[in-house]
Amino acid sequence: MSDELRNQDVPPIQVIDLHKSFGTLEVLKGIDFQVDTGEVVCVIGPSGSGKSTLLRCVNFLEEPTSGTVLIEGIDMADPETDVDAVRTRIGMVFQQFNLFPHLTVLDNLTIGQRKVLKRSGSEAEDVARAVLARVGLLDKVDEHPIRLSGGQQQRVAIARSLSMNPDMMLFDEPTSALDPELIGEVLDVMQSLAADGMTMMVVTHEMGFARQAADRVALIDEGVIVEEGPPEQVIVAPQHPRTQAFLQALEHT
């Protein structure tokens, strides 16, 4: 999306009365939600509550059944909207790393820059090396993903998103596929991004990260936001019985 199309005075992410159904199953039941510039919002809740569906609707990987998704003020459902162009401003990190196994780490980071952003090979490589240094993996530029740990692969995936110079980052349970001893290295990178002012929407079960890094936490259950507020309210002193039940269940897992 070109700079002239972007309105700096509107929230990066705004969702209005969002509904999403798969056949007869209504997964999202009227979500109103926004993420402001530089804000870190963690979305928590039970499995199957609609968290990942909400995230995918924000990026229009899933098209809402009804409602509005605005990215930097641009209506994603407007026929005039170039969705692919808008997506270049959104970094997305999934549960699975989705790296190209036949490419080196460096090539995984440069291919999108060259093809989508039309950067030269040398410029793309400079950017790739800079973001790999940021996530602590500059020494792995020539490795293939199979030779990396899961935590290293996820850090490469984050670096790949950062190499596209996004305005915001979406994380869909980025540590759920990792062994417990590898989770911390990924959360450390995310915490660093948050501290640097990156706008972030994070679907996570990591309550420690949410308490430390989030400006706001939203709990979704059965397709609706049942509680929303700062982490010291939602996680430490939840008001809603469903939030209390969810957090108590987490303590016993």
Side-chain angles (χ1 to χ4, degrees):
M1 179 169 31
S2 61
D3 287 340
E4 62 267 19
L5 290 178
R6 290 158 57 193
N7 185 341
Q8 301 296 333
D9 298 325
V10 299
I13 299 169
Q14 192 170 11
V15 171
I16 304 166
D17 194 26
L18 184 69
H19 292 255
K20 176 61 181 178
S21 296
F22 296 95
T24 58
L25 177 63
E26 188 178 21
V27 177
L28 299 178
K29 305 172 182 176
I31 299 284
D32 291 291
F33 182 82
Q34 77 177 46
V35 181
D36 294 324
T37 301
E39 190 177 29
V40 178
V41 180
C42 286
V43 181
I44 65 173
S47 297
S49 59
K51 306 183 302 295
S52 292
T53 299
L54 171 60
L55 200 73
R56 292 174 66 84
C57 284
V58 166
N59 206 13
F60 248 55
L61 294 173
E62 297 286 355
E63 191 167 341
T65 304
S66 64
T68 304
V69 175
L70 301 174
I71 299 297
E72 295 178 329
I74 294 177
D75 186 348
M76 295 290 275
D78 188 328
E80 300 295 314
T81 296
D82 183 341
V83 172
D84 288 335
V86 177
R87 283 201 190 115
T88 66
R89 311 309 311 153
I90 307 170
M92 182 88 183
V93 178
F94 298 89
Q95 296 178 33
Q96 304 301 326
F97 320 123
N98 295 338
L99 300 173
F100 294 112
H102 62 291
L103 298 180
T104 65
V105 166
L106 186 63
D107 289 339
N108 265 281
L109 265 68
T110 57
I111 186 170
Q113 296 183 65
R114 291 186 286 106
K115 291 184 177 295
V116 178
L117 301 182
K118 308 302 182 186
R119 288 175 178 161
S120 67
S122 60
E123 183 186 5
E125 185 169 326
D126 287 346
V127 170
R129 289 180 180 277
V131 293
L132 284 169
R134 184 175 184 179
V135 302
L137 290 174
L138 186 55
D139 60 331
K140 303 296 184 182
V141 288
D142 296 321
E143 297 283 9
H144 284 77
I146 196 171
R147 294 177 58 85
L148 304 178
S149 70
Q152 290 171 331
Q153 289 185 60
Q154 191 63 292
R155 283 190 281 155
V156 171
I158 293 171
R160 178 179 58 185
S161 289
L162 292 175
S163 73
M164 302 296 285
N165 194 31
D167 290 342
M168 65 202 78
M169 293 281 287
L170 310 180
F171 293 87
D172 188 5
E173 299 198 26
T175 60
S176 65
L178 300 179
D179 293 331
E181 66 271 17
L182 301 177
I183 290 173
E185 65 189 68
V186 173
L187 294 180
D188 285 347
V189 169
M190 294 170 63
Q191 190 113 22
S192 172
L193 290 176
D196 288 346
M198 173 64 76
T199 302
M200 294 164 58
M201 179 177 172
V202 184
V203 170
T204 185
H205 280 105
E206 298 293 335
M207 293 303 109
F209 171 81
R211 284 183 64 175
Q212 292 178 6
D215 298 295
R216 189 156 41 91
V217 175
L219 182 124
I220 295 183
D221 193 13
E222 297 182 359
V224 298
I225 294 177
V226 298
E227 188 163 353
E228 184 176 3
E232 58 267 23
Q233 173 199 315
V234 177
I235 297 175
V236 180
Q239 302 300 304
H240 198 287
R242 282 150 82 180
T243 312
Q244 295 167 0
F246 168 71
L247 293 170
Q248 287 169 0
L250 275 187
E251 289 177 2
H252 294 97
T253 57

